[in-house]
Amino acid sequence: MMKDDESRLLEEAAEWRLISLLFECPAADWSENVRSLAVEVRDEELKKAAEFAQTQASEGLYHSVFGPGGPAPAREISYRDWVQPGYLLSELGTFYEAFSYRPALLEPPDHIAVETGFVAYLRLKEAFARESENGEAAEITAKAARSFVDEHLAKMTERITKTIAESDIDYLIHASAALFRRVGSDKDAKVRQTLPVLADPDEMVECVTG
């Protein structure tokens, strides 16, 4: 019989996978996959997102929101102008490689659908580790998931959620709200916003040297 912890993790994995799917570009059997996965979750917000997606989602709408020039870029690098793209992609690659994550989605590693899919994958790995009574592996995986959410998804989730909330795209409004509820605000945002801006080079030297 499956323990409560494993059942909870499998449910979380399904929720994260549905979030990931909702942030993918609708194509082929996407609608059917969303409908099928929605049956497996209890989160009412995600169920609403999946229901609205059946009539609202389209490739054109998706690209108008998340594509180049759209109001809500889907890539983390778009929200991190203080980080070099190469460094960010390398960091993500290290995360994915460490846990043998091979996303089938043909999007960049920092795409929101890829990143949320990774969290779903980690939830599954943690569930398997606990079922196998491998406590060490389970803790490592749980810690990695928390770190990944804080260090990557939190950098873009709140801003995407606020932007989409101003639209009339119900399925994305519910999907992004469900994601933000799991991710929360960027803990580092206030630190960056309160850093002093010194226009005078002499003031900068004085600040550093004391």
Side-chain angles (χ1 to χ4, degrees):
M1 182 176 180
M2 187 170 291
K3 299 175 184 177
D4 290 343
D5 280 351
E6 285 87 82
S7 296
R8 174 183 56 80
L9 286 165
L10 289 176
E11 185 172 348
E12 288 183 12
E15 292 171 351
W16 277 98
R17 177 63 190 113
L18 180 53
I19 290 171
S20 174
L21 193 57
L22 288 164
F23 279 102
E24 288 183 18
C25 181
D29 52 357
W30 182 88
S31 291
E32 179 56 36
N33 290 337
V34 168
R35 187 185 302 112
S36 299
L37 195 51
V39 175
E40 305 298 323
V41 304
R42 291 185 291 179
D43 187 306
E44 288 301 320
E45 190 108 60
L46 287 175
K47 285 184 174 295
K48 288 179 182 177
E51 182 179 352
F52 281 119
Q54 302 305 311
T55 56
Q56 291 185 331
S58 69
E59 289 189 48
L61 178 64
Y62 181 89
H63 289 301
S64 72
V65 175
F66 297 114
R75 295 186 61 183
E76 182 186 344
I77 193 61
S78 299
Y79 304 90
R80 299 190 63 175
D81 53 5
W82 67 97
V83 174
Q84 290 295 325
Y87 176 83
L88 173 61
L89 297 180
S90 176
E91 184 178 19
L92 288 169
T94 299
F95 252 119
Y96 298 161
E97 186 65 31
F99 292 92
S100 302
Y101 177 56
R102 303 285 187 274
L105 185 63
L106 298 178
E107 295 285 3
D110 63 330
H111 192 283
I112 191 169
V114 177
E115 293 194 8
T116 49
F118 180 52
V119 179
Y121 175 80
L122 290 178
R123 286 289 184 262
L124 281 176
K125 284 187 74 72
E126 184 184 349
F128 179 77
R130 293 193 184 282
E131 178 67 18
S132 304
E133 299 185 348
N134 188 339
E136 182 180 3
E139 288 305 314
I140 289 173
T141 307
K143 183 178 179 180
R146 290 192 297 270
S147 176
F148 187 82
V149 167
D150 289 343
E151 295 176 14
H152 293 284
L153 277 168
K155 307 304 178 187
M156 57 177 164
T157 295
E158 184 171 14
R159 290 169 66 182
I160 288 176
T161 300
K162 287 180 176 179
T163 300
I164 290 176
E166 299 298 322
S167 75
D168 59 356
I169 310 172
D170 297 300
Y171 94 90
L172 288 178
I173 290 173
H174 287 293
S176 58
L179 176 59
F180 181 61
R181 196 169 71 245
R182 289 161 174 78
V183 173
S185 299
D186 180 6
K187 297 179 178 63
D188 298 325
K190 290 183 179 179
V191 175
R192 289 195 303 275
Q193 290 170 1
T194 56
L195 285 175
V197 178
L198 302 176
D200 188 337
D202 292 334
E203 289 185 16
M204 294 181 69
V205 172
E206 185 178 343
C207 180
V208 173
T209 60

